[in-house]
Amino acid sequence: MRLSRFFLPILKENPKEAEIVSHRLMLRAGMLRQEAAGIYAWLPLGFKVLKKIEQIVREEQNRAGALELLMPTLQLADLWRESGRYDAYGPEMLRIADRHKRELLYGPTNEEMITEIFRAYVKSYRNLPLNLYHIQWKFRDEQRPRFGVMRGREFLMKDAYSFDLDEAGARRAYNKMFVAYLRTFARMGLKGIPMRAETGPIGGDLSHEFIVLAETGESGVYCDRNVLDLPIPLASVNYDGDLTPIIKEWTSLYAATEDVHDGARFEAEVPAERRVHTRGIEVGQIFYFGTKYSEPMKALVAGPDGAEVTVHGGSYGVGVSRLAGAIIEACHDDAGIKWPEEVAPFRAVILNLKQGASDTDAACEQLYFDLLAKGVDVLYDDTEQRAGAKFATADLIGIPWQIMVGPKSLAEGKVEVKTRSDGAREMMSPADIVARLGAGTAVS
């Protein structure tokens, strides 16, 4: 993509309404525009990041055996009355009526709807286990939306819902999602720490929040520092095998949100030098809730002996749009965003340091087409801005590899390559940088 043809409304000044780094940088980098309190339009740069995050989530859900579908944003109020949650949910639920006076709601979550879909089609234990997920926009009418996409009213979520014959099966489904979440956040350059948590309005008696440590986080958290060094399961992990050893390794060390924190246990189990008390950003949460929805909504299947059995369920959420903000909170410096490669809107940016000069123009054009031919998602800054302004823009939007093409280095057959993550610089030939990036390896 040529920057001269890209829609990138950069802001030079920090927006006054932005209280935290991610909100400030997303607005400055032209990723978002606020349309109403807690409601944002995702502009092209931000939308590219959002789709990259969504795809990683999808790939790891598919790897764990979940099946994707898509449910509507609007739900019938009667479904929520069946489960008993319609009146209990609170003012965060947006309740509306259509022209026929039918009561509807803009879905804040989908346990009722997926249970209704399940009971309509699944009648036998032979069709279990089953895990269905979708990636859909949701709405919760927060009283004080703030911090940009970190606490908005409209947001993109991945929701998965598991159905099993009994508690043992449901806990196996829970373990699969636990492992899938560890992998999902690691692929985005984040350490998502599973912490014991309250179940809240979802219900049930087993839940973990996946927390990214950050001083700007909304949750107080306590953990053993050693949890930060635990290994992430490999892509080759067998989801149909016994995942218990992985779960035990991650849950044997103390990690809890402030809602369920046990001070006495924390001090007894964790040496003083390993105690971490900070704040964190919730990027996902998983729940086992047994028959909370299947019992009142009569989601029954025929068991092995022919008798009807009430299925056990769980739900598993990832804040897809919130993750864009969480990644920035974890990956930035004073100059701007530092995107991890897998979620970056572009992998590389070409900076023409003397726009209009025949040598740099020709070199940049050739480099641009060569990278595209190798499948590299590249942005070419072909604007008339001065070199300093191009450097500032590249740092602000956080593209991982900056390729600087100037007449002096070009005379020696070289371009300068800067790694945004650590600022390291290296002189390379255009052919070498094409080979490196085209092969999918990092420039070092």
Side-chain angles (χ1 to χ4, degrees):
M1 174 58 66
R2 297 175 186 273
L3 185 54
S4 60
R5 299 177 185 172
F6 194 61
F7 182 58
L8 187 66
I10 296 288
L11 300 181
K12 293 183 178 180
E13 303 296 330
N14 286 326
K16 293 180 180 179
E17 71 271 22
E19 300 177 61
I20 62 173
V21 169
S22 59
H23 191 194
R24 184 162 62 246
L25 289 177
M26 291 179 89
L27 291 173
R28 283 200 57 213
M31 293 177 65
L32 295 175
R33 177 176 173 78
Q34 181 171 308
E35 299 299 330
I39 300 175
Y40 295 89
W42 289 77
L43 305 182
L45 192 77
F47 188 63
K48 281 177 69 68
V49 172
L50 193 65
K51 300 305 285 186
K52 295 278 184 75
I53 293 171
E54 179 182 325
Q55 186 58 27
I56 291 173
V57 171
R58 176 176 289 111
E59 288 171 5
E60 293 303 325
Q61 289 295 288
N62 294 348
R63 192 193 302 274
L67 302 170
E68 188 172 10
L69 76 168
L70 183 62
M71 290 177 276
T73 56
L74 295 180
Q75 303 181 34
L76 289 170
D78 285 345
L79 279 178
W80 285 62
R81 290 195 174 97
E82 276 193 65
S83 71
R85 284 207 301 174
Y86 185 72
D87 294 320
Y89 200 89
E92 290 78 21
M93 181 189 289
L94 181 62
R95 295 164 167 85
I96 55 182
D98 65 13
R99 66 173 66 193
H100 302 293
K101 309 302 181 186
R102 282 188 294 253
E103 292 178 283
L104 303 168
L105 57 100
Y106 194 125
T109 184
N110 282 75
E111 282 80 8
E112 284 80 3
M113 180 171 285
I114 198 68
T115 302
E116 189 268 340
I117 291 172
F118 174 87
R119 73 183 179 187
Y121 298 108
V122 181
K123 305 299 182 184
S124 170
Y125 78 97
R126 297 181 188 279
N127 300 118
L128 301 179
L130 182 64
N131 191 330
L132 301 170
Y133 80 96
H134 75 159
I135 300 173
Q136 179 61 288
W137 290 96
K138 300 190 180 300
F139 188 90
R140 294 176 190 166
D141 200 3
E142 294 275 358
Q143 184 175 4
R144 293 185 63 230
R146 56 196 302 224
F147 302 152
V149 298
M150 302 294 285
R151 191 180 293 177
R153 292 194 294 165
E154 186 182 51
F155 51 94
L156 188 62
M157 282 283 294
K158 185 282 302 182
D159 298 87
Y161 303 93
S162 63
F163 298 91
D164 286 272
L165 189 63
D166 53 24
E167 180 177 344
R171 289 181 180 270
R172 285 193 293 272
Y174 186 96
N175 290 348
K176 288 183 180 183
M177 290 294 101
F178 190 108
V179 172
Y181 278 32
L182 292 174
R183 285 194 42 74
T184 296
F185 302 128
R187 284 186 59 188
M188 299 177 193
L190 298 175
K191 191 76 171 187
I193 304 171
M195 298 193 174
R196 290 183 296 106
E198 286 278 9
T199 58
I202 301 298
D205 61 0
L206 174 62
S207 180
H208 284 86
E209 285 184 9
F210 285 75
I211 299 289
V212 174
L213 300 185
E215 289 296 333
T216 51
E218 76 278 26
S219 304
V221 297
Y222 299 79
C223 70
D224 185 326
R225 190 176 302 280
N226 284 358
V227 77
L228 299 172
D229 300 320
L230 291 176
I232 301 298
L234 300 176
S236 58
V237 63
N238 180 10
Y239 280 102
D240 292 323
D242 183 9
L243 300 175
T244 306
I246 298 174
I247 308 303
K248 284 185 175 179
E249 183 178 33
W250 278 88
T251 57
S252 62
L253 295 174
Y254 190 97
T257 63
E258 59 188 352
D259 294 334
V260 297
H261 172 60
D262 183 334
R265 179 184 167 190
F266 186 54
E267 293 184 8
E269 293 184 8
V270 186
E273 67 274 12
R274 297 204 326 244
R275 292 174 197 158
V276 175
H277 175 209
T278 184
R279 304 197 70 77
I281 301 166
E282 180 198 340
V283 290
Q285 188 166 8
I286 59 179
F287 305 85
Y288 161 67
F289 45 66
T291 60
K292 176 180 171 63
Y293 300 93
S294 56
E295 188 170 348
M297 297 183 70
K298 295 181 173 56
L300 309 172
V301 297
D305 60 359
E308 287 191 327
V309 177
T310 304
V311 298
H312 285 242
S315 68
Y316 317 92
V318 169
V320 176
S321 53
R322 167 180 275 231
L323 271 164
I327 293 168
I328 293 172
E329 291 291 332
C331 307
H332 71 273
D333 60 16
D334 291 341
I337 304 166
K338 298 162 72 172
W339 290 116
E341 280 201 59
E342 285 217 52
V343 295
F346 297 94
R347 189 162 178 231
V349 57
I350 300 169
L351 306 179
N352 189 338
L353 303 186
K354 194 170 183 181
Q355 193 71 34
S358 59
D359 55 349
T360 58
D361 283 4
C364 286
E365 290 288 334
Q366 187 63 53
L367 191 54
Y368 177 57
F369 286 112
D370 288 347
L371 287 170
L372 289 177
K374 289 285 188 177
V376 179
D377 198 4
V378 59
L379 179 67
Y380 171 24
D381 189 343
D382 60 344
T383 65
E384 299 292 338
Q385 291 190 95
R386 298 168 67 177
K390 292 188 177 187
F391 296 150
T393 296
D395 281 347
L396 174 62
I397 65 177
I399 309 306
W401 311 116
Q402 298 177 13
I403 306 168
M404 293 163 276
V405 183
K408 185 176 179 180
S409 60
L410 199 58
E412 301 174 359
K414 303 286 186 179
V415 295
E416 186 174 10
V417 179
K418 174 184 169 183
T419 309
R420 179 68 180 99
S421 60
D422 58 9
R425 295 170 182 260
E426 182 179 356
M427 301 302 294
M428 302 178 66
S429 71
D432 284 346
I433 186 61
V434 170
R436 290 274 193 94
L437 291 179
T441 57
V443 178
S444 59

